[in-house]
Amino acid sequence: MKLQLWRNATLLLNIDGISILIDPMLGDKGSMGKIPMTDSELLNPLVDLPFSREELKKKLEGIDAVAVTHLHPDHWDAAAVELLDKNIPVICSNVIADYIAEQGFTNILIVNDQLQWKNIEISTTKGQHGTGEIGEKMGIVNGFVFKKEDQSVYIAGDTIWYEEIAQEIDKHKPQHIIVAGGAATFSVGDPIIMTSEDIKKVSTYAPESTIWITHLEAVSHCGEDRKFIQEKINENELKERCFVLNDGEEAELYF
């Protein structure tokens, strides 16, 4: 398997030659505008994709499926709706399937719990996108586990560390866990995705897993950048198992 971070939560996962694009935010820098309920005047996304529009179109031609964890615009934006082939398989939960169908997509693979597709076992996982009233307003989110034979990758999605994450790790026993770092926070409330302390908890709970950290330096309400998180990884002596991905970086997933 191979993993490439495009930007934010947008990932390309390649499993035995099958390419799955996860949470596509494909718009130009600034196309999403300001993040509501923050003090930031910056326009999002903060950076462009790490390749040209021409390269993007070529990459999209090689995609076999798209997987969407939830519909927040930094995971599924207007550019993705415009650019993706409407016949491409879209893997998602039943919570968002109707909405995606209304946008013209005709080949939706609903995963209520588990689905077998092209010899890949796909499972949905639970997530908690914040706490209290903010967490409720953020709505239902999920992650995915992609498994081929005894090789398992868990994409946690936009979630903080909480009891269900431990349960998902126990259930699926992934060798690789991909988390959304950055400690994104609104003007009120606690972080809505993982802090560096949450990442440490994931690493401690899953000592045999490799942790990959995404969702960094692309949206304005994230308070922890790559340098900060890398420093925390080093302080906690986790640099052999925790890796901060750069935009455009491709990693081989070893099992």
Side-chain angles (χ1 to χ4, degrees), residues 111-180:
V111 189
N112 290 321
D113 180 37
Q114 191 178 97
L115 174 74
Q116 199 78 21
W117 177 74
K118 290 186 179 291
N119 296 320
I120 301 169
E121 182 183 292
I122 305 169
S123 302
T124 52
T125 61
K126 294 180 180 179
Q128 183 175 318
H129 205 353
T131 58
E133 185 179 351
I134 292 293
E136 291 180 10
K137 287 183 176 179
M138 297 303 284
I140 297 173
V141 298
N142 69 269
F144 291 106
V145 173
F146 296 93
K147 187 175 183 180
K148 180 73 181 288
E149 297 172 352
D150 60 347
Q151 300 180 351
S152 180
V153 178
Y154 170 28
I155 298 173
D158 273 14
T159 183
I160 57 174
W161 169 265
Y162 75 122
E163 182 182 344
E164 292 281 0
I165 302 301
Q167 292 176 12
E168 299 290 3
I169 293 170
D170 289 342
K171 178 180 178 180
H172 297 286
K173 297 177 173 54
Q175 293 101 330
H176 294 271
I177 304 173
I178 301 159
V179 302

Side-chain angles (χ1 to χ4, degrees), residues 11-126:
L11 297 159
L12 184 64
L13 179 64
N14 189 285
I15 304 172
D16 281 350
I18 296 171
S19 294
I20 303 170
L21 182 64
I22 297 154
D23 284 351
M25 176 176 65
L26 305 180
D28 293 332
K29 177 181 176 181
S31 60
M32 200 173 78
K34 300 175 186 177
I35 299 285
M37 295 178 60
T38 70
D39 298 325
S40 175
E41 295 296 314
L42 296 174
L43 301 181
N44 295 269
L46 302 176
V47 294
D48 276 316
L49 287 165
F51 30 76
S52 69
R53 303 307 286 181
E54 291 73 21
E55 289 174 300
L56 172 62
K57 289 179 180 179
K58 289 180 181 178
K59 285 179 175 290
L60 293 180
E61 290 173 359
I63 300 298
D64 295 297
V66 177
V68 184
T69 62
H70 65 298
L71 295 174
H72 292 164
D74 62 326
H75 294 253
W76 178 256
D77 66 354
V81 174
E82 177 187 351
L83 292 172
L84 290 169
D85 185 337
K86 295 300 184 292
N87 296 314
I88 196 167
V90 179
I91 301 161
C92 65
S93 73
N94 62 344
V95 175
I96 61 176
D98 287 347
Y99 184 85
I100 292 175
E102 289 170 4
Q103 293 177 308
F105 291 88
T106 60
N107 190 3
I108 298 175
L109 305 179
I110 298 175
V111 189
N112 290 321
D113 180 37
Q114 191 178 97
L115 174 74
Q116 199 78 21
W117 177 74
K118 290 186 179 291
N119 296 320
I120 301 169
E121 182 183 292
I122 305 169
S123 302
T124 52
T125 61
K126 294 180 180 179

